[in-house]
Amino acid sequence: MKKLTKGKMWLFAIGQGGYAILSGLIGSFLIYVYQPTAEFVAQGQVPLIPQGKVIFGILTILGLIAAAGRIFDAVTDPMIASWSDKLKHKDGRRIPFLRWASLPLAVVTVLVFCAPFSAESAANGVWLFIMVALYYLLITAYCTPFTALYAELGNTQEERIFLSTCMSLTFIVGTAVAYVAPSLWGIFIGMGMPRYAAIRLAMSILAVLSTIGMFCPVWFIRESDYVEAKPVESTAIQSLAATFKNRDFRIFVSSDIFYWIGLTMFQTGLPFFVSTLMHLDESWNTILFVGMTAVSLVWYVPINMATAKLGKKKMVLFAFCMFTLTFAFTSFTGNLPMAPVVQGVLVCVCGSLPMAIFGILPQAMVADVAEYEGKETGENRQGMFFAARTFCFKLGQSLAMLLFTSISTLGGNGVTTEYGVRTVAIVSAVLCLIGGLLLLAFNEKKIMAKIAS
């Protein structure tokens, strides 16, 4: 087997940057576009799907669509992982999935924002439901084999941490590129283009960039040169059950679920924090998030150095504390005796360090558990370990979508309110605190001792 060079590691990691663009577009702007604030409605933006809390007086149609998509996504994760773990193909177990999923994923992401009718319509809701479900199926078909291949390419702790750092960087950059969307559609609107047409054109341009990124591993990584893995023979259910027998993995995913609920609610609320709480122009979404990305780069070398001394668990616990404080601070923005821009900058600077830590270390922790289990059982189920993790946190993200669309409209009769957005930030902080407390029970010493032996 060949040794993966650092150049190849970067080319592989660009694939994560590619799908991060699409993930950022859906995660940050799906609700922002389809559940407009009263301000944008007053400016002439037409809600395309029925608004308000239409189910039991609690749930919105958009929240149910987003949550249903995440649940469908979570359910398909073990299925895709099993197919990938069992695949017998001349190009390997992972690369064929990346090749087949890339272009359809980019196309469907754009179609999510292309509701067929220009007025509020139940038919638009049906369209959105179908497109969101297809998006989550296709992103699973790319991401699950991709992360499994990451675990197989990194043969040592040093390689695994470096590759994870590369992937974290490209993911953050990809997400930052997604946040260019408001600035892009703002330019097009300034040229006289209608708001929805401008949004769709911006999404299309970014989808082209994402497609190029997602094809980089397909073009430049020959899987059989670096991985010699025997396809798994067990069924998806058997493999998933065996994966969850690992106690430390159960602890990790329990913590991970709370983290992702809190993070997803906060990430979904970022455009609202900027416009509703800080009363800044939409273009500040791009400025502040790109700024957060740039600051996070400063932390990469110190994070790797500190991890070598302290271990992954302590670093992630520190990140939980930082996110808890950052989310809590955000709930007070707009009411503090400082300029709104300064408040936005503080949120970005304080959030940059935990964002970098969570981008690098959790997936390395999953890879460690998968390697530990492989030494214990003799089965290479990397795909299922990552799928099981995503299965759980996507269920958490489904709940986050329901919670956000309900909490953000508190006191607004279905319209996003300032009070609701502040409450979202507070709830996100509490959830991150719970996630950190759960991670305390994770036995990192046992896992690393087994790997070292």
Side-chain angles (χ1 to χ4, degrees), residues 21 25 29 32 174 176-210 281-287 290:
I21 297 175
L25 293 177
F29 301 114
Y32 189 69
V177 170
Y179 263 82
V180 173
S183 294
L184 274 180
W185 75 58
I187 293 172
F188 300 142
I189 291 172
M191 295 167 60
M193 187 176 291
R195 181 172 174 82
Y196 279 123
I199 289 173
R200 291 161 184 169
L201 178 57
M203 300 296 181
S204 300
I205 292 171
L206 296 177
V208 172
L209 292 177
S210 76
D281 185 76
E282 280 186 313
S283 61
W284 277 97
N285 281 295
T286 301
I287 296 170
V290 171

Side-chain angles (χ1 to χ4, degrees), residues 1-5 8-9 12 80-89 91-98 142-161 163-164 167 221-232 239 363-372 374 378-387:
M1 292 290 102
K2 294 182 179 178
K3 180 180 176 61
L4 197 68
T5 64
K8 290 284 188 179
M9 289 184 186
F12 174 77
I80 298 294
S82 179
W83 290 350
S84 180
D85 282 344
K86 297 168 68 174
L87 182 65
K88 299 176 181 178
H89 191 280
D91 293 330
R93 297 191 295 173
R94 320 300 184 188
I95 290 295
F97 280 88
L98 274 56
Y142 189 96
C143 294
T144 298
F146 181 90
T147 50
L149 184 55
Y150 147 73
E152 294 168 335
L153 290 174
N155 295 316
T156 67
Q157 283 296 307
E158 291 74 18
E159 290 179 357
R160 191 169 291 161
I161 290 294
L163 184 54
S164 185
M167 291 167 60
I221 302 296
R222 186 180 174 90
E223 185 178 339
S224 58
D225 287 348
Y226 305 100
V227 178
E228 185 177 7
K230 180 181 178 182
V232 174
S239 182
Q363 59 191 358
M365 293 171 73
V366 176
D368 289 341
V369 176
E371 184 176 353
Y372 170 89
E379 277 197 321
N380 296 313
R381 287 183 281 108
Q382 288 90 345
M384 188 55 72
F385 268 98
F386 281 97

Side-chain angles (χ1 to χ4, degrees), residues 6 20 46 58 67 70 77 111 131 136 139 143 185-186 215 220 237-238 271 280 292 312 314 325 419 436:
K6 290 188 175 180
V46 179
I58 300 175
R70 280 294 186 183
D77 268 317
L111 291 178
M131 291 301 112
Y136 282 122
I139 200 165
C143 294
W185 75 58
F215 268 109
F220 298 110
I237 295 177
Q238 291 171 335
L280 295 171
M292 182 188 295
K312 304 180 188 72
K314 289 181 180 178
L325 294 173
Y419 172 71

Side-chain angles (χ1 to χ4, degrees), residues 244-257:
F244 275 108
K245 286 182 180 179
N246 187 294
R247 175 184 176 275
D248 289 294
F249 183 71
R250 294 197 304 270
I251 292 170
F252 174 86
V253 295
S254 298
S255 169
D256 212 35
I257 287 172

Side-chain angles (χ1 to χ4, degrees), residues 7-204:
K8 290 284 188 179
M9 289 184 186
W10 280 109
L11 289 169
F12 174 77
I14 290 173
Q16 177 142 313
Y19 77 72
I21 297 175
L22 305 180
S23 176
L25 293 177
I26 296 295
S28 298
F29 301 114
L30 175 65
I31 293 177
Y32 189 69
V33 169
Y34 281 101
Q35 186 178 287
T37 62
E39 178 184 356
F40 286 122
V41 172
Q43 293 174 6
Q45 181 174 340
V46 179
L48 297 178
I49 65 174
Q51 303 291 298
K53 298 176 182 178
V54 297
I55 300 174
F56 307 125
I58 300 175
L59 305 177
T60 65
I61 288 178
L62 179 57
L64 286 172
I65 290 173
R70 280 294 186 183
I71 292 171
F72 176 70
D73 184 22
V75 170
T76 56
D77 268 317
M79 177 184 71
I80 298 294
S82 179
W83 290 350
S84 180
D85 282 344
K86 297 168 68 174
L87 182 65
K88 299 176 181 178
H89 191 280
K90 64 181 180 64
D91 293 330
R93 297 191 295 173
R94 320 300 184 188
I95 290 295
F97 280 88
L98 274 56
R99 180 187 301 118
W100 300 331
S102 298
L103 182 59
L105 173 57
V107 171
V108 167
T109 302
V110 175
L111 291 178
V112 165
F113 296 95
C114 295
F117 299 101
S118 58
E120 183 176 314
S121 168
N124 284 338
V126 174
W127 169 274
L128 185 61
F129 176 82
I130 294 172
M131 291 301 112
V132 166
L134 285 174
Y135 161 80
Y136 282 122
L137 175 64
L138 289 167
I139 200 165
T140 297
Y142 189 96
C143 294
T144 298
F146 181 90
T147 50
L149 184 55
Y150 147 73
E152 294 168 335
L153 290 174
N155 295 316
T156 67
Q157 283 296 307
E158 291 74 18
E159 290 179 357
R160 191 169 291 161
I161 290 294
F162 182 83
L163 184 54
S164 185
T165 302
C166 296
M167 291 167 60
S168 172
L169 176 60
T170 55
F171 183 84
I172 291 174
V173 171
T175 307
V177 170
Y179 263 82
V180 173
S183 294
L184 274 180
W185 75 58
I187 293 172
F188 300 142
I189 291 172
M191 295 167 60
M193 187 176 291
R195 181 172 174 82
Y196 279 123
I199 289 173
R200 291 161 184 169
L201 178 57
M203 300 296 181
S204 300

Side-chain angles (χ1 to χ4, degrees), residues 253-285:
V253 295
S254 298
S255 169
D256 212 35
I257 287 172
F258 279 93
Y259 161 71
W260 281 103
I261 297 175
L263 180 68
T264 302
M265 290 179 62
F266 189 82
Q267 183 185 40
T268 305
L270 277 173
F272 296 101
F273 300 147
V274 171
S275 61
T276 304
L277 299 188
M278 303 177 201
H279 303 290
L280 295 171
D281 185 76
E282 280 186 313
S283 61
W284 277 97
N285 281 295

